[in-house]
Amino acid sequence: MQIDKETQEKIQELQGYEQTLQSIMMQKQAFSMELSETENALEEITKSKDDVFKLVGNIMIKTDKASIEKELKQKKDLLALRLKSIEKQETDISKEAEE
């Protein structure tokens, strides 16, 4: 069975979309996991009445609770923004593939 050139090009294009979507979904999953971990850390820091420590490389240092909360909130906002951007890319690629 012979496939014409135009059909072959469309198949290759769809395969490209599929690979791009898989890559986007992997990034989305990684950002989702990191966002969840950040939210959990922020929740624990907020509940904590004791000293707060931060892991820096292989060293754990005591840190100011307010500054670590601020840092985690900024990280959470950044991750949420990246996740939203990836979801938009996913939607756009899916629409292109459907067309």
Side-chain angles (χ1 to χ4, degrees):
M1 184 167 126
Q2 192 72 10
I3 299 176
D4 65 16
K5 186 173 181 137
E6 183 181 343
T7 304
Q8 286 178 334
E9 288 174 358
K10 290 292 183 185
I11 289 171
Q12 288 177 339
E13 188 177 346
L14 279 173
Q15 288 173 337
Y17 285 136
E18 182 181 9
Q19 289 174 348
T20 302
L21 276 173
Q22 285 176 347
S23 173
I24 288 172
M25 289 172 65
M26 287 174 49
Q27 290 176 20
K28 182 180 172 182
Q29 183 180 15
F31 282 128
S32 292
M33 286 175 43
E34 192 172 351
L35 179 59
S36 178
E37 290 171 1
T38 302
E39 288 171 340
N40 289 338
L42 188 56
E43 185 179 323
E44 291 300 318
I45 296 277
T46 304
K47 291 191 292 188
S48 173
K49 293 176 179 62
D50 297 328
D51 294 335
V52 178
F53 294 86
K54 177 181 178 178
L55 192 62
V56 179
N58 293 331
I59 301 171
M60 189 176 289
I61 59 170
K62 186 176 178 180
T63 187
D64 177 46
K65 183 177 173 180
S67 67
I68 198 72
E69 279 183 303
K70 181 180 176 185
E71 184 180 318
L72 286 172
K73 285 178 183 177
Q74 288 174 340
K75 183 176 180 179
K76 178 183 168 185
D77 292 344
L78 179 62
L79 289 169
L81 184 62
R82 285 182 176 173
L83 197 55
K84 186 175 180 179
S85 173
I86 285 175
E87 288 171 347
K88 184 178 179 339
Q89 284 180 337
E90 182 181 23
T91 302
D92 292 346
I93 297 288
S94 293
K95 284 181 183 177
E96 286 181 39
E98 286 178 20
E99 291 174 4

